[in-house]
Amino acid sequence: MTPNSGRVTAVRGSVVDVRFDLQLPPIRTLLRAGANDEIAIEVLAQLDAQRVRCIALTSTQGMARGMAVRDTGAPLQAPVGPGIVSRMFDVFGQVIDRLPAPTKVHGRSVHRAPPALATRSTRSVVFETGIKAIDVLLPLETGGKAGLFGGAGVGKTVLLTELIHNMVGRHHGVSIFCGIGERCREGEELYRDMRDAGVLPNMVMVFGQMNEPPGARFRVGHAALTMAEYFRDDEHRDVLLLIDNIFRFIQAGSEVSGLMGQMPSRLGYQPTMGTELSGLEERIANTDTGAITSIQAVYVPADDFTDPAAVHTFSHLSASIALSRKRASEGLYPAVDPLQSNSKMATPGIVGAEHYRLAQEIRRTLAQYAELKDIIAMLGLDQLSSEDRKVVGRARRLERFLTQPFFTTEQFTGSPGKTVSLKDALDGCERILRDEFKDHPESALYMIGPIAEAKGKPQAVASPAGEVEHAAP
């Protein structure tokens, strides 16, 4: 047995025990086994003076007791450098886009400490997205973390993809898409769409697919974050980091914890969930040299926002965008629920007094409409007072104005995508609240860009979920 090598003593699925007679490798060290080093395992615990317990990052098929294991002497490495832009990688930094291996890259450990508090920037700058519902009601923060919360099929991935499209044209930084537990179909579609949209030259994609072992899915987020830190700290560029889906990072950690024999916590989650999530989220920060702005899709199990995974994720975010299944079923896309969503940037000191006043008035109008819905369902619209009917008319028109055709769904809807500046979005909302459009049918405001398009839209277009014609007398 050569120095710095060991032998497998036990294999239980993805858990591998290895004995080292000379030198015990530190925790998080990457070990390699197999004829061509094709099996990768990571040290997670030191059992005694000679044995370590590891989790496999690849399939353990073909592994047996007594097999030689090589200590690489370093943790898992992610490729960083100018050559990674426009490429697609797996958790090991190997290209998966069928193109030649990149040049001008070197490896960097995926395990890094968050930036020190002294190096962090304290300025709060709004990150404009070109999506009306977000920019008006839930402004995002440059260097902040925003979460897209929602169950299956309410539009999280579509909204993320649209944000990538809008960001590349609007912000001259680099975008990194991290797919944690992604379906291979989604990864292939995203790559093709980004290439066709011409935004691939400013993007890096990292995928840990759904069929990969939990150890690989658990580390792919760290690999993507290491690449993002390179652009922020070494090239001094702003980075947009999109993570789909942060719940699957927690889920992979839960699987690893169960395989390692740890006692489960509430609802079967790992007892170290808070620590593991913090270790990832705290590295996403705004420093003096650049900013990593992160937008993360968060799957909410059974639409239960009290689930521990959702609760722990909430605590790290500067903005929470809740996607509503009810709004999606009514055709109101993006299906953002303004009453369940919030942003810490929506204060007069950051967005300005006028924007804040308008956002509060929109929320108040939509909240009043939500309270009146039960009365309308039981007694009908005619039983409401004149003032309440005006509120309903404004709210329904606001709901439709806050919908928007997306570039990433053009092939399905046939409607060209649109980005809307914050100034145009605020102007449209204010004019609706002043009842300038009370004589226009609601359908005229559905799926448009700026408010000026409402006057030129054909009247025959149907509005979703029925329409209250001339709700305001």
Side-chain angles (χ1 to χ4, degrees), residues 43-85:
V43 178
L44 284 193
Q46 295 177 337
L47 300 179
D48 54 36
Q50 291 185 310
R51 291 185 306 138
V52 291
R53 181 157 290 168
C54 314
I55 191 78
L57 306 186
T58 59
S59 170
T60 53
Q61 188 172 359
M63 204 171 215
R65 290 176 63 182
M67 179 181 279
V69 175
R70 181 174 66 86
D71 177 6
T72 64
L76 181 65
Q77 306 275 310
V80 296
I84 66 172
V85 180

Side-chain angles (χ1 to χ4, degrees), residues 20-302:
F20 287 85
D21 290 329
L22 295 177
Q23 183 183 356
L24 204 63
I27 289 174
R28 291 180 172 172
T29 301
L30 188 69
L31 310 179
R32 290 280 185 177
N36 301 307
D37 277 354
E38 69 275 11
I39 300 173
I41 54 179
E42 184 181 22
V43 178
L44 284 193
Q46 295 177 337
L47 300 179
D48 54 36
Q50 291 185 310
R51 291 185 306 138
V52 291
R53 181 157 290 168
C54 314
I55 191 78
L57 306 186
T58 59
S59 170
T60 53
Q61 188 172 359
M63 204 171 215
R65 290 176 63 182
M67 179 181 279
V69 175
R70 181 174 66 86
D71 177 6
T72 64
L76 181 65
Q77 306 275 310
V80 296
I84 66 172
V85 180
S86 81
R87 304 304 300 274
M88 192 185 220
F89 298 93
D90 65 9
V91 69
F92 300 105
Q94 298 165 341
V95 290
I96 52 175
D97 52 12
R98 298 184 181 178
L99 296 174
T103 56
K104 299 181 184 175
V105 298
H106 60 276
R108 184 176 287 181
S109 169
V110 301
H111 304 288
R112 295 166 59 82
L117 281 174
T119 66
R120 301 198 181 201
S121 172
T122 54
R123 291 186 307 116
S124 292
V125 180
V126 172
F127 188 77
E128 202 172 317
T129 65
I131 297 172
K132 290 181 284 192
I134 293 176
D135 288 343
V136 172
L137 297 171
L138 313 160
L140 305 186
E141 179 185 12
T142 299
K145 296 179 275 283
L148 292 176
F149 289 81
V154 293
K156 297 185 297 296
T157 302
V158 171
L159 190 51
L160 273 187
T161 313
E162 185 70 7
L163 285 164
I164 295 173
H165 183 279
N166 291 2
M167 289 313 97
V168 172
R170 196 177 286 261
H171 299 271
H172 303 293
V174 61
S175 296
I176 296 180
F177 184 90
C178 174
I180 304 177
E182 281 286 84
R183 301 168 184 88
C184 58
R185 168 185 60 78
E186 292 173 336
E188 191 272 334
E189 284 176 2
L190 182 70
Y191 181 82
R192 192 175 62 240
D193 292 345
M194 294 300 102
R195 184 189 61 203
D196 294 346
V199 300
L200 207 54
N202 288 302
M203 273 196 77
V204 184
M205 295 187 185
V206 192
F207 281 95
Q209 286 177 212
M210 201 174 260
N211 64 319
E212 293 184 26
R217 286 181 272 123
F218 189 50
R219 289 296 177 224
V220 71
H222 298 95
L225 199 44
T226 303
M227 296 177 185
E229 287 169 337
Y230 162 78
F231 288 110
R232 180 192 66 192
D233 301 335
D234 295 36
E235 294 198 0
H236 306 318
R237 295 172 71 180
D238 286 345
V239 185
L240 177 66
L241 175 64
L242 299 117
I243 301 176
D244 188 9
N245 186 306
I246 200 69
F247 171 78
R248 296 203 186 104
F249 167 77
I250 295 171
Q251 196 174 40
S254 180
E255 290 179 52
V256 170
S257 174
L259 289 166
M260 294 294 290
Q262 292 180 336
M263 185 72 72
S265 180
R266 183 169 163 237
L267 294 187
Y269 287 106
Q270 65 272 39
T272 52
M273 175 168 62
T275 308
E276 291 166 0
L277 190 60
S278 300
L280 187 75
E281 297 280 8
E282 287 301 301
R283 290 168 62 182
I284 302 169
N286 189 357
T287 69
D288 296 330
T289 58
I292 299 176
T293 303
S294 176
I295 300 173
Q296 307 167 9
V298 187
Y299 168 69
V300 181

Side-chain angles (χ1 to χ4, degrees), residues 417-432:
K418 293 185 172 70
T419 59
V420 182
S421 69
L422 177 61
K423 180 175 176 294
D424 287 342
L426 290 172
D427 175 60
C429 291
E430 184 156 31
R431 290 172 67 183
I432 291 170

